[in-house]
Amino acid sequence: MKLTEIYSSMDHILLLDDYSDPNLHRHFAKHLIISLKDEISCRVEEKIISCNGILIDSNVMHTIDSKNQQVVVFLFDETSDIAEEFQKQYFTEKHFAALPKENVKEIVKIWGKFIEAKKENIAREYKKTFKKIMELCDIKVKIVLKKDDRIESVVEYLNCIDSISEGTLDELAKHVFLSKSRLSHLFKEQVGISLNQFLVIEKMRKTYEYLNKGYNITDAAIKAGFNSSSHFANTNKTMFGVTAKELKNTMNYIIIE
């Protein structure tokens, strides 16, 4: 398996790869998987589904055979508002939902346009593309306007530091002159994901950045704030189902702010 690109946003990551995994597995992220060409074969618990696009709930045994085709894979953090929307829309009675072929065709067209347009402004074009894809899944994307300057300051602070440690939350609270509990409440209200969970994701994002700069997995993980490469690998696999070996083969990593 060779990952070609990883896009990382606040509440999800996107993989563009072949994503074939012969082993049944589960992890804590909701999936949206879109084939860019022909049907793929999916096993969700005991069911086998052939489709062009599928939604899979988190913590559900599954495996995907992409038949060596490129697929777009969205992995949504379980604590996010958008994961909650998927839960209400699709997963109240079952753990998966195949998307209509017509919707998938439109998504493939939208993705193709993004590939062409992303050279101009990748962050802007990705956000537009993401919103359109979610709308084709009947999911309304909440446009988060960071009205509170303190949240803007927190995000900027995290972008500037090299590592996320156990004391980072204390640093953030002091930085914006709030208690930890008040800051956590405000962050969840403004961003739609808990601050503690965001710190974990941010630590992972920093590891990805260091990997993309040429660090080996151990050095990248420790520099970002993990205790070890295995700590990072276990966290990453649990949250997004991506192994350290797969990340090592990544060609391109893009952060979407």
Side-chain angles (χ1 to χ4, degrees):
M1 176 178 177
K2 187 176 182 180
L3 301 180
T4 55
E5 289 187 340
I6 292 181
Y7 295 79
S8 176
S9 188
M10 280 190 174
D11 53 10
H12 71 275
I13 65 172
L14 178 148
L15 312 178
L16 178 63
D17 68 314
D18 65 15
Y19 206 65
S20 293
D21 189 341
N23 300 312
L24 281 168
H25 62 282
R26 71 173 86 205
H27 41 80
F28 295 98
K30 286 177 165 51
H31 290 54
L32 168 60
I33 303 172
I34 302 293
S35 171
L36 295 179
K37 192 176 179 182
D38 300 319
E39 284 190 347
I40 55 177
S41 178
C42 312
R43 179 177 173 184
V44 183
E45 295 178 327
E46 301 302 319
K47 295 184 180 295
I48 306 294
I49 307 104
S50 292
C51 61
N52 293 82
I54 191 168
L55 293 149
I56 303 175
D57 201 357
S58 64
N59 199 27
V60 173
M61 294 297 290
H62 67 279
T63 185
I64 304 295
D65 180 5
S66 68
K67 303 173 185 176
N68 296 316
Q69 303 175 93
Q70 265 201 331
V71 291
V72 174
V73 182
F74 290 95
L75 299 163
F76 297 97
D77 175 61
E78 188 66 355
T79 69
S80 65
D81 285 350
I82 199 162
E84 185 178 350
E85 291 298 312
F86 272 107
Q87 183 67 38
K88 293 175 182 176
Q89 185 75 9
Y90 292 100
F91 303 130
T92 55
E93 296 180 358
K94 56 183 181 179
H95 298 306
F96 71 93
L99 288 176
K101 283 188 177 181
E102 291 305 312
N103 293 47
V104 175
K105 285 181 181 178
E106 288 301 314
I107 291 173
V108 172
K109 288 179 184 177
I110 289 168
W111 184 257
K113 290 178 181 178
F114 164 68
I115 296 299
E116 290 298 319
K118 72 176 186 177
K119 299 172 185 176
E120 298 177 9
N121 187 318
I122 192 166
R124 181 191 66 204
E125 295 302 327
Y126 181 86
K127 289 175 182 178
K128 286 165 55 179
T129 299
F130 178 71
K131 185 173 184 293
K132 290 177 182 177
I133 291 174
M134 292 300 102
E135 286 173 351
L136 282 165
C137 297
D138 294 324
I139 298 294
K140 292 182 179 180
V141 177
K142 296 179 181 178
I143 305 301
V144 178
L145 300 174
K146 300 191 194 105
K147 297 177 181 178
D148 196 303
D149 290 342
R150 291 168 292 187
I151 299 304
E152 295 247 6
S153 183
V154 162
V155 174
E156 288 173 5
Y157 186 94
L158 290 171
N159 285 338
C160 291
I161 61 178
D162 293 329
S163 178
I164 306 294
S165 67
E166 290 183 3
T168 297
L169 181 55
D170 290 302
E171 293 174 23
L172 293 173
K174 290 178 182 177
H175 180 66
V176 294
F177 305 102
L178 292 173
S179 68
K180 290 189 290 185
S181 60
R182 174 59 187 150
L183 174 59
S184 297
H185 177 79
L186 183 64
F187 193 92
K188 172 67 176 177
E189 180 181 80
Q190 293 272 307
V191 180
I193 182 173
S194 73
L195 179 53
N196 282 332
Q197 194 73 355
F198 182 71
L199 290 177
V200 174
I201 294 173
E202 190 66 17
K203 195 188 307 187
M204 290 165 57
R205 281 154 53 98
K206 289 184 183 298
T207 306
Y208 298 160
E209 285 183 34
Y210 296 141
L211 286 170
N212 206 41
K213 290 178 180 177
Y215 287 80
N216 63 44
I217 291 176
T218 299
D219 289 346
I222 291 174
K223 185 174 176 63
F226 286 99
N227 296 329
S228 64
S229 59
S230 60
H231 182 201
F232 161 68
N234 290 336
T235 302
N236 202 63
K237 183 68 175 177
T238 297
M239 289 184 66
F240 294 124
V242 182
T243 67
K245 181 180 178 181
E246 291 162 355
L247 285 170
K248 188 177 180 180
N249 292 328
T250 299
M251 292 176 60
N252 197 17
Y253 174 73
I254 302 118
I255 295 177
I256 307 297
E257 298 295 351

